[in-house]
Amino acid sequence: MESSEAAEALIPRFELESILNQDQAGRRITLLGTIDSRPALLTFERAAFPSAPEALRLFHSLLTNIANLGANDIYAWYLASVKPSDNAAPDLKLNLIYPCTEAHIKKYSPQLVRVVTETPEIYKQYVRPYIQRKREEGRLNWVFNIIEGRTEQEDVIFRDTQNPGHDEEGFLLLPDMNWDRKTLTSLRLLGLVERRDVWSLRDLNKSHVGWLQRVREKIIDSVVSIYSGVEKDMLKLYIHYQPTYYHLHIHVIHAHLEPNATQAVGKAFGLENLISQLEAMSGDSKAGMSDVSLTYVIGEAHDLWNEVFLPLKEGRKI
């Protein structure tokens, strides 16, 4: 996707194969299909309503096909459509993953989740080698392209670095693909660190406390300065485990954002809590998150469930 025009041209070429998933509220649906015979995932999501008075007046005037579903005393409820208009605010947000991999399809497919406890021994014997294999598959090239300044630089909203791509203190901020880039109460940002020796929160130890504190402070200060109306105590920072990709990244969201599974206990580990946990650990500077047991949720389609935790549960050899 080299330009906006090229990216926009992909959507009309999408050919539907099946509905992959739909949330219970019906506000988001993910479709599996192809573009030019290559697999693709296309997610439709209801966009946020406009808040400017002029946009709301226009939005109201565009309502059509109004059908009453029922009425009781002072209450009434309806279905309606919105007529297309060049001046109307977009009412859909689309996310495209193209070409997608089998891992993407598994991630977006409906699946039961399991609660697992990963001991230090399980991590060192099974999970760490799995993470290393994933990194060696070359799926982090898109991350390295961003932090080295080769791609998506127009999306970078803040960069703190002395030597792009090679600064152990450096990081950059860019919008999360799930944010519409305008509704501040649904703010979602991604902080990519430049150092490459921290693959996940498991690699964090006591020697990283000062660095994490500095990164946290700079992220919060930069977001507050960039987005008028956002204050420091309106932001939540967390790290996923297991993450989608194994290069440390920090999620930054507005505290008002409606919680979903990616922010739930067993998936999101608060950055401030991680820092406090590291500070309170006994031992030398190398004592860290690889030395503790972590309990988290994992989908039944995840490789770690099928290759590690399910065999362990059933007493089978791994």
Side-chain angles (χ1 to χ4, degrees), residues 21 48 53 64 80 111 124 128 148 160 170 172 175 178 209-211 227 229 232-233 240 247 250 254 266 275 307 316:
N21 202 359
T64 185
Q111 57 182 299
K124 291 168 186 173
R128 178 73 178 187
E148 292 174 6
D160 181 80
L172 55 86
N178 292 309
V209 167
W211 169 64
Y227 298 105
K232 291 184 177 182
D233 55 2
H240 281 153
H247 176 95
I250 300 168
H254 197 288
I275 293 173
E307 297 175 11
R316 293 188 280 114

Side-chain angles (χ1 to χ4, degrees), residues 1-4 7 96 98 139-159 172-178 181 190 192 245:
M1 301 182 190
E2 298 179 353
S3 67
S4 295
L96 176 66
Y98 168 74
R139 293 180 182 174
L140 290 175
N141 290 338
W142 69 273
V143 174
F144 301 147
N145 286 338
I146 295 174
I147 63 178
E148 292 174 6
R150 291 194 293 268
T151 61
E152 297 189 46
Q153 297 310 289
E154 68 278 4
D155 289 331
V156 175
I157 61 174
F158 180 81
R159 181 186 286 273
L172 55 86
L173 275 175
L174 65 163
D176 189 286
M177 66 179 293
N178 292 309
R181 306 195 183 194
L190 196 62
L192 290 176
Y245 52 94

Side-chain angles (χ1 to χ4, degrees), residues 227-244:
Y227 298 105
S228 177
V230 176
E231 301 177 22
K232 291 184 177 182
D233 55 2
M234 294 178 178
L235 297 172
K236 294 196 292 186
L237 283 69
Y238 58 84
I239 298 173
H240 281 153
Y241 194 77
Q242 295 285 331
T244 304

Side-chain angles (χ1 to χ4, degrees), residues 257-272:
L257 180 65
E258 183 178 348
N260 59 26
T262 66
Q263 303 166 40
V265 173
K267 178 67 175 178
F269 292 75
L271 181 59
E272 292 83 0

Side-chain angles (χ1 to χ4, degrees), residues 31 55 64 116 125 167 207 214 239 257 285 304 311 315:
L31 307 178
T64 185
V116 299
Q125 188 171 355
D167 186 351
S207 72
R214 290 188 295 275
I239 298 173
L257 180 65
S285 63
L304 283 175

Side-chain angles (χ1 to χ4, degrees), residues 44-65:
F44 292 86
E45 183 177 355
R46 297 290 183 186
F49 286 101
S51 56
E54 308 80 33
L56 287 172
R57 281 192 288 269
L58 176 62
F59 179 79
H60 176 265
S61 68
L62 294 175
L63 291 178
T64 185
N65 298 329

Side-chain angles (χ1 to χ4, degrees), residues 196-226:
R196 306 188 187 192
D197 59 333
V198 184
W199 300 352
S200 75
L201 64 80
R202 278 294 200 181
D203 292 304
L204 296 174
N205 57 47
K206 291 177 69 69
S207 72
H208 294 125
V209 167
W211 169 64
L212 289 172
Q213 290 172 330
R214 290 188 295 275
V215 170
R216 175 189 175 275
E217 182 178 352
K218 289 178 180 179
I219 286 177
I220 292 176
D221 286 345
S222 63
V223 173
V224 169
S225 66
I226 293 169

